[in-house]
Amino acid sequence: MSANPKPRQFASDNYAGFAPEAWAAMAQANAGHCVAYGDDRWTAEASDLIREVFETDCEVFFVFNGTAANSLSLAHLCDSYHSILCHETAHVETDECGAPEFFSNGTKILLLPGGNGKIDPASIKATVQKRTDIHYPKPRVLTLTNATELGTVYTPAEVAAIAGEAKRLGLRVHMDGARFANAAATLGVPPKQITWEAGVDVLSFGGTKNGTGVGEAVVFFNKDLAEEFDYRCKQAGHLASKMRFLSAPWVGMLRGGADAPWLRHARHANNMAERLLSLVQKLPGAQILFPRQANSVFVQLNPKAIAELHARGWKFYTFIGQGGCRFMCSWDTTEEDIHALAADIGEVMGTPSLSSAL
Ligand SMILES: *Cc1c(COP(=O)(O)O)cnc(C)c1O
């Protein structure tokens, strides 16, 4: 079968474009001149909206991407002789090309185990206390990802257990929230319950995968830790001169309270993943790898099926976590996209009945 072009893909939620609300705010911000380097009304409003979302007075900075948000905030939380604890499948370990170590001038990342992409709380103490002599880098920060790299979601109690244990052991706590919106939409709890109330000091708050075009927010709930972070961003090349084009899309996404676009779009992406799961889990031979709790479905398919799906023009990753196929839904994924993909998965797995059942 020949590959016909797909209107939308499942490789990543950053294949999608701007959500309409983010794009409209971008257009408004483009009307005329505006103060540069972040002293503009869009950046002020986006920061205020983030303070509203988290119901607290926090410090907010915008940088170009998630790798920078993670690396610069982690670097700010420790010195070069410290170490940073994270899950063994964490983006900071597997997908940032050593940027956290680079920006912090040589910290060591220490890996924690745990099922379904979540840190095992018992492993924190074991790792911190494994070595306490001067010859080993001193543990100073723990970072956890919500939603995780494997599409699972930490509950408020789980975040509190991990952050609480980290705090007792003298660590600062960072959260990688590249898909924070999806986690918040799944849990339906006030965002403060999975951040500062649970012990998170700093959050990398992702906008891009949620429906902006560029720019992630670094949110310091512990304001003392934010001192001079603006200088760190500038030195690293992450102070945007036309900052309004990073911040205005956030205004479009965050305005509107409980039904604001950021939550509505995340809920939609999560629901589309649930639809895909419900179809694919019926297929004999398609093994679902992790609980579906955010906007992705991980499934083990045989190599021939994977090659045939690629030949049919579908794009999806097979290298995240422990392998398997990752199908990621976006704010603009449609029911038709889900049906088309599920039907093709059924056919390449030799279960064409699925397509007729759709
Ligand atoms: C996408 C992603 C990031 C950010 O990646 P960039 O490509 O640098 O924007 C960070 N953490 C996680 C878990 C991600 O999925």
Side-chain angles (χ1 to χ4, degrees):
M1 179 171 290
S2 67
N4 45 346
K6 310 297 177 200
R8 281 163 296 276
Q9 288 288 356
F10 290 85
S12 177
D13 28 11
N14 55 31
Y15 272 41
F18 278 89
E21 301 87 350
W23 189 244
M26 191 74 148
Q28 280 177 30
N30 194 40
H33 281 211
C34 197
V35 183
Y37 295 108
D39 292 325
D40 62 279
R41 74 169 183 89
W42 294 99
T43 305
E45 186 177 350
S47 303
D48 282 343
L49 284 163
I50 287 175
R51 286 186 270 269
E52 268 177 42
V53 162
F54 291 99
E55 302 177 69
T56 190
D57 185 22
C58 43
E59 292 278 355
V60 180
F61 304 84
F62 294 93
V63 296
F64 286 105
N65 65 12
T67 297
N70 287 341
S71 304
L72 295 175
S73 52
L74 289 170
H76 215 62
L77 295 179
C78 61
D79 281 303
S80 57
Y81 49 84
H82 286 134
S83 54
I84 299 165
L85 280 63
C86 71
H87 191 269
E88 57 198 4
T89 60
H91 198 271
V92 297
E93 159 68 9
T94 62
D95 289 290
E96 298 187 359
C97 195
E101 296 95 325
F102 174 77
F103 279 111
S104 54
N105 290 312
T107 55
K108 188 176 173 71
I109 304 251
L110 304 180
L111 304 182
L112 304 173
N116 294 327
K118 293 183 185 178
I119 292 168
D120 171 7
S123 69
I124 302 169
K125 193 173 197 175
T127 304
V128 168
Q129 295 184 345
K130 190 175 75 173
R131 288 273 300 272
T132 53
D133 58 276
I134 198 161
H135 304 284
Y136 200 65
K138 191 172 177 2
R140 175 48 54 89
V141 192
L142 175 139
T143 174
L144 74 170
T145 310
N146 211 13
T148 73
E149 287 75 6
L150 304 186
T152 52
V153 170
Y154 289 101
T155 63
E158 288 174 326
V159 177
I162 288 167
E165 176 71 345
K167 287 276 161 72
R168 278 189 292 280
L169 293 161
L171 307 180
R172 292 163 175 170
V173 179
H174 168 267
M175 178 174 279
D176 176 352
R179 296 190 182 87
F180 185 83
N182 302 92
T186 293
L187 295 167
V189 299
K192 65 181 175 183
Q193 287 187 17
I194 45 171
T195 52
W196 61 272
E197 276 193 350
V200 173
D201 295 308
V202 184
L203 169 71
S204 298
F205 189 6
T208 311
K209 287 167 177 158
N210 187 215
T212 67
V214 61
E216 311 283 273
V218 178
V219 183
F220 284 83
F221 300 110
N222 182 338
K223 292 175 65 166
D224 294 342
L225 295 174
E227 201 182 327
E228 298 186 349
F229 189 69
D230 46 351
Y231 285 88
R232 187 179 293 278
C233 291
K234 174 67 188 182
Q235 186 188 46
H238 277 273
L239 178 64
S241 56
K242 294 188 179 180
M243 183 68 89
R244 67 187 182 282
F245 297 122
L246 271 64
S247 55
W250 279 88
V251 172
M253 295 294 277
L254 294 177
R255 273 183 189 156
D259 197 41
W262 74 286
L263 284 171
R264 199 159 26 79
H265 290 311
R267 238 178 266 131
H268 172 82
N270 292 352
N271 290 342
M272 288 295 108
E274 182 60 30
R275 290 286 297 128
L276 181 62
L277 172 70
S278 71
L279 294 171
V280 171
Q281 69 186 0
K282 292 181 193 148
L283 293 172
Q287 186 203 344
I288 304 298
L289 293 173
F290 313 110
R292 197 291 311 163
Q293 294 171 348
N295 56 327
S296 55
V297 176
F298 284 79
V299 52
Q300 192 73 60
L301 302 175
N302 64 57
K304 184 168 156 289
I306 292 172
E308 282 187 33
L309 283 174
H310 284 146
R312 289 175 182 223
W314 291 110
K315 296 195 189 304
F316 53 92
Y317 289 161
T318 54
F319 64 84
I320 311 279
Q322 293 112 34
C325 304
R326 186 190 77 171
F327 297 102
M328 183 66 75
C329 298
S330 312
W331 66 268
D332 64 348
T333 301
T334 66
E335 285 274 347
E336 292 72 39
D337 300 331
I338 297 293
H339 281 203
L341 174 66
D344 274 1
I345 295 175
E347 280 183 25
V348 303
M349 295 291 287
T351 318
S353 59
L354 183 71
S355 50
S356 54
L358 293 173

